[in-house]
Amino acid sequence: MSSSNKTQIRLIENPLLSTTGDIVVCAYSLEIQVDPLDAYMATNQSEDYRCLWMCPSSDSSMFGLGAVATVESSGVNRFTAASEALASLASLVCFYGPDKAPRPVLLGGFSFAPIHKAAPTRDHIIPRGHDVAEAGCSLQRYPREYARNTSEQHDVAEAGRSLQQLTHSRSNSFVIDGLGCDGQPSWEGFGDCQLVLPRITVMNKNRSTWILVAKKMEVGEGIESTKSALLQDKLDFIRQLEKQQTRPKHDTSKRNASGQAAAEHDFPSSAQLAHAQYDHGRFSANGPHAAPSLNSASSDITSSDAACADTVSLCGCRGKYLDLVETAIESIARGECQKVVVARTVKLELNLKNSIIYVLDHLRQNNPKCAIFAFVVGDIVFWGATPERHVTFADSQIYTTAVAGTVARHMTLEDDVVLENELRTSPKLLSEHQLVVEDMVNSLTQIGAEAVTVDDLSVLKLARVQHLSTPIKAQMPTNHKDDNSDNALDVISVAGKLHPTPAVAGTPTEAALRFLDRNENFTRGWYAAPIGWCELQGNGEMWVAIRSGLSDEKHTWLFSGAGIMADSVPSEELEETDNKLKMLFEAIQVASKRKLSAYSKLDFECDG
């Protein structure tokens, strides 16, 4: 493994890799089904890592607690480096369990683009004699005029990019790249790549529940004593689950005993739509229908949540996003891009730490076709419900899905069918979707995949929006696993070959990424990047982290984006991002029992 890839495998209390078998994993079958949300709530929240992954449509879920080993890599080669590290880690693990037991998995994800860059100094990014706040407002509101009046000895483009990543907080402190400031999403602890082998993993699959317990062997410790310690860890965890039975339960009325959605919500009910009505840029819950009960869920919402009062102010910078779309259209008109996907954030002054369990429960119940996820690092939670599968890799078989082209849903069946027909016949949306299909097929061909098959175009219907969707399958050659083969691949390396697709970046890829680096005024972090799980042998599943939010102890940021083409209409693209956000707003509103309202300030007063 090349050291230039900046990859490391960290073992708790043992930063060095030594002999084979440093980590022991034991698998235990349980007679009862364990809801992963119960496992999430039952565990010690002081653990550095917690990971939750649920796919209701496939009746599978995983919960991971703690970290025995962590694969970390950085930079543009983060996928290749992580794949190599995965192979090294596999040689360190001794697994004990029945033949039918699931194998150990790593849970985590990657950044959309390398996050950590060299931090520019204040003197470098601000021409002398200019106040930071004034310079920021000028560049945000009048970029062309500011460029003409800036000293020639300063690179205005670089200054603009740096200012977009630099936020002036009330405490007069500065933080670079959106890490830990009031105005930008804080991705502290979420690196370019972070894949965790949990200390305890709960798996639900094929109507069976398994607990996998992992431990690093201590110096001089034998296998039998390690296995005894793992059994004790398993028993301690079961006791935690038993204590969890005394807490107020979240609503499970829409799920069967396995935690799977009882029925897919192919069409939203009027009561569902009323939870977060949209009217001229304002989300509210003042409709005629009350939010459904969460069985005393509010009892788990602490005073810090209550301090947010009954109305939570949202700032989505709608005007700024319209300007960004206009800039993208101008870039496309100049021939710089064919398509570019631009995103926006909405910032909530809301602490979801103690009510995130109910947000996730609502997302699971109402979005059975999505992957529901939560990755917790310290006090920061990245969560969401994504409908876009990036890649499933299973014994040399590759499955992926092109998802692009979006229209809203409607509360009446007749009108919903009309919108679906518009989706199927729109030249702009069909062209946008075809770009994604062609790019993914080309990427699979380049990595040596055989028998690439493109299935028929279909419509993926979700609670709030509907997308054009095309499943794609491929087969890797039989020699791709050979040690001496250049085609040796696993789910991580395939995910890296496909990322970023035109569905989340644009095309041509490099030109679209350059546009986003210059013009998007926030750090995407793990948003729109591959997340999921992988086995030590390379099989696994990665989805694209869209329809997502990031929450710390004070704030929550929600992310949404839209694909811009030459004939895009800015107001329609803004409405598309609104429709995608509705799912998240509804889940938060139901979970927190609060009325949410949205408003827009002047662009230069907004944080992004």
Side-chain angles (χ1 to χ4, degrees), residues 51-73:
C51 310
L52 187 69
W53 186 263
M54 300 182 290
C55 287
S57 62
S58 62
D59 190 21
S60 64
S61 65
M62 300 180 191
F63 168 73
L65 174 69
V68 169
T70 304
V71 171
E72 297 175 330
S73 61

Side-chain angles (χ1 to χ4, degrees), residues 532-550:
W533 60 272
C534 61
E535 296 177 346
L536 293 171
Q537 292 71 32
N539 290 335
E541 192 169 67
M542 292 280 166
W543 290 55
V544 183
I546 55 177
R547 313 298 146 77
S548 54
L550 185 75

